[in-house]
Amino acid sequence: MARSSKPIRNAPGGSASDEGHALKKVAAKHADAKELVILTGTSGSGKASALKAFEDLGYYAVDNLPLELLPDFASLVQLSPEMHRAVLVVDVREGPALDRLPAILLKVKKMLHTTVVFLDATDAILVRRYSETRRPHPLSRTDLSQVEMVSGSITSERQMLDEVRNLADFIIDTSAFNVHELRAHVQARFGPKNGDGGFGNQMLISCLSFGFKNGVPLDADLVFDVRFLPNPHFVPEFRKLTGKNPKVAKYVRDFPQTTEFLTKVTEMMLFLLPHYVKEGKSYLTIAFGCTGGQHRSVMMAEEMAKRLGKAGYRVKAVHRDMPR
């Protein structure tokens, strides 16, 4: 049978090679737009709530997929025309297989853009959460009391997750978060960015107070030590109050070093924030620490939140160690 001598028709205005290049560009563009989030962290740190928040943002959410299937899942995300963003929970439920995560993650990152988010909280908060929910820890042993069982399991879990934590792109300390605040945190960092519409149109700033005796917040971007200020704790009438009380706030504010410190920090933040926004940072935590997290740090966080709010930024004050 004779072959037709008619030339193959191409798209108007271009050759077959041009069309091939165009298709490759489109494919590359879609590949760049793909995103996979690996959500991991300690048990009780809020992974289930964070997973729901990602799902509400349009991510295809999967909990506890066997680690060996992670490359196949990443390939599915990469090739699927419907699945643009996905989030996958990986934690100690994987058991010994968790040791293979770094090697598997290296392979997956070559396939598509991948972000590792590690959720954590202080041991005291994790124990309290397990006490409230009465759920067993994944690594719990039944021959111990509930507190001993959870405390020991948390220690073992931290050892198992140590290498995974070092791989994290984001570490989020959920100690001071309730469910709604964790949801807002996820939305601020992973929601639509400028021009996309929705709640990602401007960076969200948290002014966080804490006590050094309870440890520095894990997710703090900037930390200021305000223990150089006179301590209201040693004034009997202020001891049981907090920095949110007007009298305590006035006591701290009336020291000249307080005014100078606030002025300088405000000037620095107003210089830094536009640059953070320009670089695409969607969430910033500014932490102020004193000894117990009750007076000086609380007053500073409240005051800085007011100042940055007046400058037009979305800001909230959060107090990790202040009595509720």
Side-chain angles (χ1 to χ4, degrees):
M1 181 175 178
R3 293 182 179 179
S4 171
S5 60
K6 293 182 180 180
I8 298 174
R9 294 186 178 274
N10 300 311
S15 64
S17 60
D18 290 337
E19 184 179 8
H21 287 310
L23 289 174
K24 287 181 180 179
K25 287 182 179 180
V26 171
K29 181 179 179 181
H30 284 296
D32 290 341
K34 299 284 187 172
E35 180 186 12
L36 175 63
V37 173
I38 305 296
L39 184 61
T40 183
T42 52
S43 302
S45 60
K47 295 191 298 293
S49 297
L51 186 67
K52 291 179 181 178
F54 274 107
E55 191 170 16
D56 290 343
L57 289 173
Y59 284 74
Y60 187 92
V62 178
D63 187 15
N64 201 26
L65 182 77
L67 198 56
E68 291 79 2
L69 298 179
L70 181 53
D72 293 332
F73 181 74
S75 179
L76 177 63
V77 175
Q78 185 183 38
L79 298 175
S80 172
E82 291 86 16
M83 196 185 306
H84 299 289
R85 300 190 297 176
V87 57
L88 177 67
V89 174
V90 176
D91 54 29
V92 290
R93 290 174 293 176
E94 289 290 336
L98 195 62
D99 292 338
R100 297 197 293 274
L101 178 60
I104 294 175
L105 190 59
L106 187 64
K107 179 180 179 180
V108 169
K109 285 192 172 185
K110 293 179 180 179
M111 301 169 63
L112 77 166
H113 176 64
T114 304
T115 302
V116 179
V117 179
F118 192 99
L119 301 189
D120 203 355
T122 63
D123 287 7
I125 293 296
L126 294 176
V127 170
R128 191 193 74 192
R129 288 175 181 173
Y130 270 101
S131 176
E132 291 173 349
T133 61
R134 298 185 180 277
R135 292 194 62 193
H137 190 282
L139 301 180
S140 63
R141 295 172 296 178
T142 57
D143 58 336
L144 298 173
S145 69
Q146 178 70 11
V147 174
E148 291 175 323
M149 188 163 47
V150 172
S151 298
S153 297
I154 290 172
T155 301
S156 300
E157 183 178 36
R158 290 198 186 283
Q159 295 173 349
M160 293 178 64
L161 291 172
D162 185 57
E163 190 171 357
V164 177
R165 193 178 192 276
N166 291 333
L167 298 172
D169 299 290
F170 294 104
I171 297 177
I172 303 175
D173 183 357
T174 68
S175 301
F177 289 168
N178 58 34
V179 174
H180 306 293
E181 289 169 337
L182 177 56
R183 176 188 177 88
H185 192 109
V186 171
Q187 289 177 341
R189 283 197 168 179
F190 295 92
K193 301 298 186 295
N194 292 343
D196 292 337
F199 38 66
N201 291 332
Q202 194 180 41
M203 179 171 62
L204 178 62
I205 303 168
S206 284
C207 291
L208 173 68
S209 71
F210 72 95
F212 276 99
K213 70 177 185 179
N214 297 318
V216 178
L218 298 175
D219 62 341
D221 297 291
L222 297 167
V223 177
F224 295 97
D225 184 348
V226 297
R227 289 176 292 185
F228 67 92
L229 296 172
N231 193 347
H233 175 79
F234 297 110
V235 179
E237 63 177 300
F238 296 153
R239 182 166 297 180
K240 294 184 179 180
L241 302 177
T242 73
K244 294 185 73 172
N245 183 280
K247 292 182 178 179
V248 176
K250 183 179 184 303
Y251 173 83
V252 177
R253 191 183 294 110
D254 282 349
F255 292 99
Q257 56 265 46
T258 302
T259 302
E260 185 176 0
F261 175 79
L262 280 168
T263 299
K264 291 183 175 181
V265 173
T266 302
E267 290 175 350
M268 184 178 73
M269 295 313 306
L270 294 180
F271 165 75
L272 290 174
L273 291 176
H275 295 285
Y276 283 134
V277 172
K278 185 178 180 181
E279 288 299 313
K281 195 171 182 64
S282 57
Y283 195 93
L284 185 77
T285 299
I286 309 168
F288 296 89
C290 61
T291 305
Q294 312 293 315
H295 301 105
R296 294 165 291 181
S297 62
V298 172
M299 176 268 167
M300 286 293 179
E302 289 286 333
E303 180 63 26
M304 189 55 58
K306 291 177 183 177
R307 293 183 176 213
L308 297 181
K310 289 180 180 179
Y313 290 96
R314 294 174 59 220
V315 59
K316 64 175 181 177
V318 181
H319 306 295
R320 190 190 74 179
D321 298 327
M322 188 184 77
R324 296 185 179 181

